Amino acid sequence: MDILSSIPSSIVIFDSSLRVVFANRNFLVKSRKGEGEVLGKKIGEIFPPVILYYTNLEENLQAAQKGRPLDGEEMEYRAPGLASRVYFYSLTPLKDESGRVRNVMLFMDDVTEKKSLGERVARAERHLASVVESANDLIVSMNAHGAVMTWNSAAERILGFSAPDTVGRQFVQLFPDAERANLEGLFAQLIRRGEPQERESSMRAKGGQELLIAWRFSAMKEERGQVVALVGVGRDLTEKRQLELRLIQSAKMAALGEMAGGIAHEIRNPLAITSSAAQILLKKGADPELRCEAAQKIHVAAGRAATIIENLLRFARPSEGLVERVDLNSAVEDTLSLIGHQISLQSIEIKKRLAPQAPRVKGNKNQLQQVFMNIILNAYHAMPDGGGFTITMRAVPTDLQAAEQLPRAELLESAGHLASNPQSAIGNQQWVVEVRFSDTGCGISEENLSRIFDPFFTTMPVGSGTGLGLSIAYSIVRQHGGSIRVESQVGKGSTFIVSLPALSAVPACASPHADRPSTAQAGAQADRANGKLTTDN
């Protein structure tokens, strides 16, 4: 009995007449009764009637006297002057050597704190589940092997797949075949390092539409640090990207309006040549040699005008997905074919130091021309009284400090080697193609330097600019996985540096079209006598 008296749970033993023969110290303290108030009393004298009514405790005691134990029930009991407590209780028949039930033991354990904690945990779980289900972003959890465990309502609404459709399936199976290997590698890296990983990937919804989702994946770890699950939070970028494309298209139209004068002059030159040659034919059409020369001039001028119009239409065409292997040399040349003459009319000398052997990049040529166009127009406005504008291209390692220590010839030679082994560059680094646009304009002040890529920020007079050109350029370059930065000194000029990831493609110098004059070069040969355009390829 000494052991039972010391147990931190309440114990009461009843005889066959359901009178108390033993009550331990814990029960006496909890019930605020003395030993004399409990021993020899019937159950109805030590428990309130309401407790007996709702728990059927007396009937259960009688059943236990007949050998039927009660495994466990809950009851709420409030002693006089104390707050209510919740108890877990059981009834155990106590038998003698002959197997006859002599007594019944009532065991009561105070579970108030445990129950309160359980309720708080349940509330927290319900709150967390409500947050996950109410989120507008896709939230998916996976086990360490990549199988889907949970799938929130936003994922169901956006992609059209219900939780039963996805739970148990490999998450990567919901992506196009081309994306799966990259995602599997990303998950392996996440499990190995435990650092969050981000990726933009296309997904096909159940209805068949293509969606662009920005994912951020994190690892869930146990106490020992082992990854036990993965969590992915995805945001649907489809509508945002469509709005960006419409904004880019609006900016294109604004740029075309700004270039209208220069383009009109570009077209007027071949038209003037055509008109002059036609007049010669009308007056001296009998001369075979003169007739042949005039016809040749008309043919060349018509081709020049058609090329200008084709470039203009291509530039104005709405942009599509990132699906091309782009030669940045060609992109720069085509951009200059649209705006080079207008810049030259403002006494701006254009110098080009391109790199025909530079590897190609993955992207959208139309969008990259938009980037170059916006940067060139920015330089044009920075030099109202003329100046110098230089475009330089090269392939450099991602570690730009190491790249700056290499001789230019070695850089170009390494860039050509990238075609067969893009990872084998100096220091085993990946490479980027860097395009620098340098002007000798007014420069950018220190306080404005950190804001030039902000939407609607402009230093031009009201009504002279939208402030979207450089912001759109920044957005496009980031979508291509590259970077854009600026170096500037007030009064000396600015340099915009665009860096784009290189592809392991055949260098531009090995292209079968490498010897073909670009549009801009053809224009310079044909009718750019008044402009100042020099190249150093």
Side-chain angles (χ1 to χ4, degrees), residues 68-79:
R68 296 196 296 272
L70 179 68
D71 292 334
E73 295 285 347
E74 277 189 7
M75 72 173 175
E76 188 173 342
Y77 175 61
R78 184 175 66 83

Side-chain angles (χ1 to χ4, degrees), residues 10-28:
S10 297
I11 295 178
V12 181
I13 298 179
F14 297 88
D15 61 14
S16 57
S17 61
L18 301 184
R19 291 184 181 273
V20 178
V21 296
F22 174 80
N24 74 342
R25 187 181 304 113
N26 185 276
F27 177 80
L28 297 176

Side-chain angles (χ1 to χ4, degrees), residues 30-31 47-48 50-51 75-87:
K30 296 283 187 180
S31 63
F47 286 105
V50 67
I51 293 289
M75 72 173 175
E76 188 173 342
Y77 175 61
R78 184 175 66 83
L82 295 178
S84 295
R85 309 290 294 180
V86 178
Y87 291 90

Side-chain angles (χ1 to χ4, degrees), residues 195-320:
E195 299 174 355
Q197 304 289 325
E198 296 182 355
R199 182 177 182 82
E200 287 187 8
S201 300
S202 60
M203 298 185 72
R204 189 171 295 279
K206 192 172 184 178
Q209 64 270 34
E210 195 83 12
L211 301 177
L212 180 65
I213 310 291
W215 287 99
R216 181 178 176 84
F217 298 102
S218 304
M220 294 177 61
K221 300 180 181 179
E222 61 177 11
E223 293 179 355
R224 293 176 295 177
Q226 183 177 355
V227 175
V228 294
L230 307 176
V231 177
V233 179
R235 175 158 294 180
D236 185 4
L237 299 182
T238 307
E239 185 176 350
K240 178 175 179 287
R241 191 57 49 84
Q242 290 172 351
L243 290 173
E244 287 178 350
L245 291 176
R246 286 199 288 269
L247 187 60
I248 290 172
Q249 189 65 18
S250 299
K252 279 184 185 179
M253 296 301 103
L256 286 175
E258 200 166 340
M259 297 184 299
I263 294 172
H265 188 85
E266 287 278 274
I267 296 176
R268 186 173 59 187
N269 282 346
L271 288 177
I273 293 173
T274 301
S275 178
S276 300
Q279 291 177 32
I280 292 173
L281 285 175
L282 290 173
K283 291 181 180 180
K284 301 181 179 181
D287 187 338
E289 184 177 347
L290 193 59
R291 186 169 63 246
C292 180
E293 183 179 351
Q296 183 65 26
K297 287 185 178 292
I298 291 173
H299 177 71
V300 171
R304 170 63 181 157
T307 301
I308 293 170
I309 294 171
E310 176 61 29
N311 283 341
L312 189 62
L313 292 174
R314 190 185 304 117
F315 177 76
R317 191 176 300 132
S319 302
E320 298 175 356

Side-chain angles (χ1 to χ4, degrees), residues 82-94:
L82 295 178
S84 295
R85 309 290 294 180
V86 178
Y87 291 90
F88 177 86
Y89 73 95
S90 61
L91 295 170
T92 304
L94 302 178

Side-chain angles (χ1 to χ4, degrees), residues 394-471:
R394 61 177 181 169
V396 293
T398 51
D399 184 349
L400 296 177
Q401 283 186 331
E404 294 299 333
Q405 297 173 2
L406 296 175
R408 183 171 182 269
E410 187 176 346
L411 276 172
L412 297 178
E413 181 181 352
S414 299
H417 175 63
L418 181 63
S420 58
N421 190 356
Q423 302 293 340
S424 66
I426 298 171
N428 292 322
Q429 300 182 67
Q430 292 181 335
W431 285 61
V432 297
V433 180
E434 180 186 274
V435 188
R436 289 174 171 254
F437 301 86
S438 302
D439 64 65
T440 59
C442 57
I444 304 169
S445 63
E446 189 69 30
E447 60 268 22
N448 290 335
L449 202 56
S450 62
R451 303 174 57 198
I452 58 171
F453 295 117
D454 292 349
F456 305 109
F457 175 76
T458 179
T459 57
M460 297 177 63
V462 176
S464 299
T466 63
L468 289 174
L470 293 179
S471 172

